Amino acid sequence: MYPSRRGRLGGKSKADADEPDGVSETPVERHGQLQVVGTTLCDDSGDPVQLRGMSTHGIQWFGWEEFLTDAALDALADDWQADCCRIAMYVQEGGYETDPEGFTDEVRRIVDAVLDRGLYAIVDFHIHDPGDPLANLDHATTFFETVAAEYADSEGVIYEICNEPNGVAWDRIKAYAEAVIPVIRRYDPKGPIVVGTRGWSSLGFAEVGSEGPREIIENPVDGENLLYAYHFYASTHGQWERDRLAAAADELPIFVTECGSMEADGDGTNDFESTREFMDVLADNTISWAFWNYSDDWRTSGVWTEGTTDGSWTEANLTPTGQWVRETLRDR
Ligand code: IDC
């Protein structure tokens, strides 16, 4: 198997972790507590940071034991050399609302496994139907109260409070965010929080009647260390979106918490040329990203071939999507 390129935090402080023990630092050891300075995500020294990694699929289908195991996460950390892992906890569709305690336990288990490898864990409250985040406000309050209280002292947790609002005005999303953020901040005063945006986190571009990022710029969410989500699928989206994303990045802190090289339904053909052009915009603007999705789903977006299980996390079992993303992540 591939050599681990990292030590394990294992109780080491960041200072200790710098010990020249022949093993490179983990992303959390290297960057520490993240913060938003102006429109840029920065590390604890104030230097800009671009995190790059994967999103899980919905953990109700591809969660711990079904798919995510220690071996799967070792491959993501040590072979793929990801900086972050987004944990997609659907609220509907057989998700959190069916078993709040059980799904909170599952998120806790995956967050701990991600942090143990020194990767940043993005806790994704994965709503998109219903598109109005206020429909899930009570669930969000309960869930994030528990998660923020438990991870308040961790340097490696990022809170994504609503995956893809849609069909609602910016005011409602802002109202939801300004109800949930204080719940998190009561326990975790600094952890970065990503707020979903109109039109399936398109910054409003995909929402009829939206004025796009202007609505956010003129009426931002109240709080510190906040970022706004943008999602793209490179076979569906192109230069029109790339130009507007680059312009928005001049005025807003953005995190691409979900993106893909295929159609917006997670399937269809890959357009790796368009994906590369999107990745260039993200790199030029130091925008972090998580690719959809770390699973063996049959759709184009699954990075592992169907039936990949423990012990078979080798290049031979990667789909074309997986080959492309792994190479991109390893290309430092
Ligand atoms: C899709 C999954 C599919 C699942 C569906 C459920 O690929 O297996 O049945 O969700 O709604 C998103 C969403 C994400 C979607 C993904 C691809 O955040 O949940 O996954 N996508 O459609 N936004 C744009 C694309």
Side-chain angles (χ1 to χ4, degrees):
M1 193 63 81
Y2 34 81
S4 164
R5 70 180 186 117
R6 299 182 176 125
R8 289 281 182 264
L9 277 175
K12 272 194 200 177
S13 71
K14 186 165 178 278
D16 294 346
D18 289 340
E19 285 295 305
D21 57 6
V23 178
S24 63
E25 291 175 310
T26 69
V28 175
E29 288 167 346
R30 185 177 315 119
H31 302 302
Q33 180 63 55
L34 301 176
Q35 57 182 319
V36 178
V37 179
T39 61
T40 307
L41 185 66
C42 294
D43 66 13
D44 55 6
S45 307
D47 296 329
V49 173
Q50 184 190 33
L51 300 180
R52 307 182 311 160
M54 292 298 298
S55 174
T56 69
H57 201 311
I59 61 172
Q60 74 274 43
W61 303 306
F62 296 90
W64 195 259
E65 300 306 349
E66 291 98 354
F67 182 78
L68 286 173
T69 61
D70 280 317
L73 290 177
D74 283 343
L76 180 62
D78 298 335
D79 182 39
W80 291 42
Q81 300 186 24
D83 300 311
C84 59
C85 180
R86 180 209 201 205
I87 297 137
M89 183 193 74
Y90 284 63
V91 184
Q92 277 72 40
E93 300 178 76
Y96 178 82
E97 67 178 0
T98 63
D99 180 6
E101 275 194 36
F103 274 93
T104 304
D105 283 342
E106 173 125 0
V107 166
R108 185 180 291 120
R109 180 180 290 188
I110 302 169
V111 169
D112 289 346
V114 169
L115 293 176
D116 176 57
R117 289 161 175 79
L119 275 63
Y120 287 91
I122 303 166
V123 180
D124 165 24
F125 194 70
H126 198 87
I127 62 115
H128 57 68
D129 183 7
D132 182 352
L134 285 169
N136 283 300
L137 178 58
D138 289 348
H139 284 321
T141 301
T142 305
F143 175 70
F144 282 111
E145 180 144 49
T146 304
V147 172
E150 290 188 19
Y151 293 99
D153 297 332
S154 167
E155 294 181 333
V157 173
I158 297 167
Y159 307 91
E160 183 180 9
I161 60 174
C162 51
N163 161 55
E164 295 188 339
N166 57 87
V168 290
W170 171 243
D171 288 350
R172 282 188 77 83
I173 303 168
K174 174 174 153 78
Y176 166 84
E178 290 177 351
V180 174
I181 289 167
V183 171
I184 295 170
R185 289 287 180 249
R186 194 178 309 146
Y187 302 94
D188 186 343
K190 296 174 294 189
I193 296 172
V194 184
V195 182
T197 59
R198 286 188 77 176
W200 296 274
S201 283
S202 64
L203 294 169
F205 297 138
E207 189 93 16
V208 175
S210 170
E211 293 169 42
R214 183 63 38 205
E215 293 175 337
I216 305 170
I217 294 161
E218 291 176 354
N219 189 19
V221 173
D222 182 32
E224 301 287 319
N225 289 339
L226 305 183
L227 301 104
Y228 297 96
Y230 179 73
H231 292 179
F232 72 82
Y233 281 82
S235 269
T236 303
H237 306 123
Q239 197 57 46
W240 189 91
E241 285 83 6
R242 286 191 287 269
D243 292 344
R244 283 154 182 78
L245 171 61
D250 287 339
E251 303 194 67
L252 290 172
I254 293 169
F255 199 127
V256 175
T257 53
E258 186 182 305
C259 60
S261 43
M262 64 298 294
E263 299 292 347
D265 63 358
D267 208 356
T269 54
N270 280 315
D271 183 338
F272 291 128
E273 186 179 332
S274 174
T275 312
R276 172 53 51 206
E277 290 169 6
F278 268 105
M279 291 304 179
D280 290 346
V281 171
L282 303 189
D284 292 347
N285 293 279
T286 321
I287 296 173
S288 297
W289 52 267
F291 213 88
W292 182 264
N293 61 67
Y294 201 67
S295 80
D296 65 341
D297 183 22
W298 56 267
R299 294 172 178 82
T300 308
S301 49
V303 293
W304 292 103
T305 51
E306 279 188 276
T308 299
T309 58
D310 266 350
S312 55
W313 308 102
T314 62
E315 286 180 66
N317 289 315
L318 291 175
T319 62
T321 307
Q323 291 165 22
W324 191 92
V325 182
R326 175 181 177 272
E327 279 310 306
T328 299
L329 286 170
R330 289 171 57 87
D331 180 18
R332 290 266 162 203

